[in-house]
């Protein structure tokens, strides 16, 4: 690999950029770089120029102010071009992005990427390559669109003993749940509207089943706790089974329903540190700051021993917000090229992951039951037999529509799901229709 010092010695204030990908984010980034060129040059001394852009289709009209000769279908030629100082990757998918980024890093070129899927699967490999070459790998746009959360975790909070992070980091699902909550439309209706407005893909599985948020929380957990958490370590539960009735019951009890990404670190009974990362729909108290995050907006709630509680809020998707985050990284990386230092992550150990069955939370349960004397006593006995304490209970409906709505005290998942198995075997319980976690104020 080329040493950092030999690369920097050849640099002046002119930073030549190679862009891999020119979709919504890439095109918006070119516009920002063009609009802000003189302002950035005046404020930072950096003369940023895009020298080459790799695209799949040379004939596509992108309406950006660059000549045709800037475009190429040969991504590798951009990475290997000795005249290119900095690589921006916004092409998506794992390959060939992984191979191209590794090649750029090994050549001593700093890289800015928005590729959450790649970082969540192969982050440690890429971080190591960046460190070995002494160059930057920056990825603010990979987690929450325009919200600055990566840099605070990586730099401002590097010395903070962070205990927990919870956030709404998928704009598609938050839009859907907001529409269901505010206007009473069904999941399918809200999803169709999200697709029509461009908030959701035609195949929305990656978003609505929690995989997108899972990739992002893997990155967040890695930065917050300094261990290698991959997307394979994250448990996913999506929102496709959430009903309007669940939302109405939750609201009546003082909650809304949000798809949360959560990461935590705790010390187990043996004195060893353990890390947990997961995505799940949860009841959020209406008094909690996350309850007010609606539409396609995102928010990340950070809790630390020293700093207390912090919340980062803003647009979580869209071409210009995401491009803004990429642009910030570009300026940072370009400045670091001149100053001969950057923000390296360093070696990452494999964490001890918290066993899912030992995770604890209050739970909301919605049971369809027979409307007859003694039902509540039988159901309550099952909860007691498994050590699950009931915080509150309501009955809804009569006859064949009778339901019991429970919120439990904090319980181990192992005990809660043993309770559900026993409830399903009771003749007086027709079905356990909904089980959702509940977070505190």
């Amino acid at each position: 690999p080329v040493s950092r010092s030999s690369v920097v010695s050849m640099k002046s204030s002119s930073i030549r950029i190679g862009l891999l990908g020119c979709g919504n984010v890439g095109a918006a980034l070119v516009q920002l770089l063009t609009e802000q060129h003189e302002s950035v040059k005046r404020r930072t001394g950096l003369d940023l120029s895009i020298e080459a852009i790799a695209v799949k289709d040379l004939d596509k009209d992108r309406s950006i102010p660059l000549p045709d000769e800037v475009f190429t279908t040969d991504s590798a030629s951009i990475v290997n071009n000795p005249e290119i100082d900095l690589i921006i990757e916004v092409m998506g998918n794992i390959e060939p992005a992984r191979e191209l980024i590794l090649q750029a890093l090994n050549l001593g070129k700093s890289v800015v990427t928005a590729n959450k899927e790649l970082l969540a699967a192969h982050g440690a490999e890429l971080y190591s390559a960046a460190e070995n070459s002494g160059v930057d790998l920056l990825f603010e746009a990979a987690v929450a669109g325009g919200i600055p959360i990566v840099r605070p975790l990586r730099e401002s909070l590097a010395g903070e003993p962070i205990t927990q992070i919870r956030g709404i980091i998928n704009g598609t699902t938050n839009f859907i749940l907001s529409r269901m909550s505010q206007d009473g439309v069904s999941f399918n209706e809200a999803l169709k509207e999200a697709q029509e407005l461009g908030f959701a893909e035609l195949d929305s599985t990656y978003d609505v089943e929690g995989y997108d948020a899972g990739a992002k929380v893997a990155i967040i957990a890695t930065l917050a706790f300094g261990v290698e958490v991959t997307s394979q370590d994250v448990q996913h539960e999506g929102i496709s089974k959430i009903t309007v009735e669940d939302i109405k019951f939750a609201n009546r009890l003082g909650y809304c329903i949000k798809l949360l990404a959560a990461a935590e670190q705790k010390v187990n009974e043996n004195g060893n540190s353990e890390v947990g990362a997961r995505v799940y729909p949860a009841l959020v108290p209406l008094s909690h700051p996350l309850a007010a995050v609606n539409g396609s907006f995102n928010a990340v709630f950070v809790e630390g021993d020293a700093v207390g509680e912090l919340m980062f809020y803003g647009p979580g998707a869209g071409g210009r917000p995401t491009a803004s985050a990429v642009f910030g990284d570009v300026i940072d990386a370009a400045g670091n090229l001149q100053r001969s230092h950057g923000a390296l992550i360093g070696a990452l150990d494999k964490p001890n992951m918290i066993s899912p069955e030992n995770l604890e939370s209050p739970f909301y349960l919605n049971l369809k039951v027979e409307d007859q004397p003694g039902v509540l006593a039988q159901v309550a006995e099952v909860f007691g037999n498994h050590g699950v304490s009931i915080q509150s209970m309501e009955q809804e409906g009569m006859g064949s529509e009778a339901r019991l709505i429970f919120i439990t005290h904090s319980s181990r998942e192992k005990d809660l799901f043993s309770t559900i198995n026993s409830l399903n075997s009771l003749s007086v319980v027709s079905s356990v229709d909904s089980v959702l976690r509940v977070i505190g104020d």
Side-chain angles (χ1 to χ4, degrees), residues 253-293:
L253 296 169
Y255 299 90
C256 63
I257 296 178
K258 299 290 186 182
L259 183 72
L260 299 183
E264 64 177 298
Q265 181 172 238
K266 67 178 184 179
V267 177
N268 63 22
E269 62 273 11
N270 297 320
N272 298 319
S273 177
E274 292 184 326
V275 169
R278 63 198 321 192
V279 175
Y280 54 87
L283 272 68
V284 177
L286 294 176
S287 58
H288 194 285
L290 290 176
V293 179

Side-chain angles (χ1 to χ4, degrees), residues 170-173 175 193-201 207 295-296 317-318:
N170 180 271
T172 300
T173 52
F175 175 85
E193 183 178 348
Q195 290 168 332
E196 291 171 348
L197 292 172
F199 292 139
E201 303 291 338
D207 288 315
S296 61

Side-chain angles (χ1 to χ4, degrees), residues 140 144-153 312-313 325:
E140 184 65 69
I147 301 174
I149 183 62
V150 169
R151 190 171 284 106
L153 289 175
F312 301 82
Y313 169 83

Side-chain angles (χ1 to χ4, degrees), residues 79-413:
V79 171
N80 292 314
N81 184 346
E83 299 299 314
I84 298 293
D85 306 310
L86 174 66
I87 297 295
I88 303 172
E89 184 274 310
V90 287
M91 61 198 305
N93 298 319
I94 291 181
E95 296 293 358
R98 171 182 160 276
E99 181 180 350
L100 291 166
I101 290 175
L102 279 174
Q103 176 68 1
L105 295 172
N106 289 334
L107 288 171
K109 300 174 191 277
S110 290
V111 174
V112 174
T113 179
N115 196 329
K116 56 184 171 287
E117 184 182 6
L118 172 60
L119 292 170
H122 299 284
E125 177 185 23
L126 300 176
Y127 307 148
S128 178
E131 182 173 23
N132 288 339
S133 291
V135 293
D136 283 325
L137 174 63
L138 303 180
F139 46 90
E140 184 65 69
V143 171
I147 301 174
I149 183 62
V150 169
R151 190 171 284 106
L153 289 175
R154 191 171 178 169
E155 299 175 15
S156 305
L157 298 173
E160 172 65 31
I162 294 173
T163 55
Q164 182 171 251
I165 297 175
R166 283 192 296 226
I168 298 167
I169 54 177
N170 180 271
T172 300
T173 52
N174 202 47
F175 175 85
I176 291 170
L177 290 172
S178 296
R179 288 286 289 120
M180 292 175 70
S181 177
Q182 295 167 357
D183 299 288
V185 302
S186 69
F187 169 81
N188 287 331
E189 290 174 307
L191 172 58
K192 182 179 179 182
E193 183 178 348
Q195 290 168 332
E196 291 171 348
L197 292 172
F199 292 139
E201 303 291 338
L202 289 179
D203 181 359
S204 59
T205 303
Y206 192 67
D207 288 315
V208 301
E209 297 303 337
Y211 294 102
D212 173 84
K216 294 172 181 176
V217 80
I219 298 169
I220 286 174
T222 296
L223 296 176
F225 308 131
V227 292
E228 182 189 354
V229 179
T230 72
S231 49
Q232 297 299 313
D233 297 317
V234 181
Q235 289 188 304
H236 308 84
E237 296 175 38
I239 65 167
S240 57
K241 295 181 181 179
I242 301 297
T243 67
V244 174
E245 287 69 29
D246 288 325
I247 290 174
K248 289 179 179 177
F249 287 135
N251 191 258
R252 196 172 70 195
L253 296 169
Y255 299 90
C256 63
I257 296 178
K258 299 290 186 182
L259 183 72
L260 299 183
E264 64 177 298
Q265 181 172 238
K266 67 178 184 179
V267 177
N268 63 22
E269 62 273 11
N270 297 320
N272 298 319
S273 177
E274 292 184 326
V275 169
R278 63 198 321 192
V279 175
Y280 54 87
L283 272 68
V284 177
L286 294 176
S287 58
H288 194 285
L290 290 176
V293 179
N294 291 310
S296 61
F297 278 73
N298 283 192
V300 181
F301 204 75
V302 180
E303 299 179 33
D305 284 344
V307 76
E309 298 177 341
L310 301 170
M311 191 169 99
F312 301 82
Y313 169 83
R320 283 183 71 85
T322 304
S324 175
V326 173
F327 195 13
D329 277 347
V330 169
I331 294 172
D332 198 10
N336 287 340
L337 281 173
Q338 293 196 320
R339 293 189 294 269
S340 188
H341 67 81
L344 301 176
I345 290 179
L348 296 170
D349 294 326
K350 289 284 187 180
N352 295 315
M353 300 301 295
I354 300 172
S355 173
E357 65 181 18
N358 289 328
L359 289 166
E360 295 186 10
S361 170
F363 284 85
Y364 156 93
L365 292 89
N366 184 331
L367 283 62
K368 187 175 182 180
V369 298
E370 300 291 334
D371 187 10
Q372 62 186 47
V375 169
L376 179 57
Q378 292 182 58
V379 170
E381 183 179 8
V382 170
F383 278 88
N385 288 341
H386 293 281
V388 176
S389 176
I390 298 171
Q391 181 183 126
S392 65
M393 187 282 298
E394 287 194 18
Q395 180 172 339
E396 174 79 13
M398 303 285 288
S400 61
E401 299 300 319
R403 292 187 174 276
L404 295 177
I405 313 297
F406 294 94
I407 291 183
T408 75
H409 289 287
S410 187
S411 306
R412 289 193 310 166
E413 295 213 0

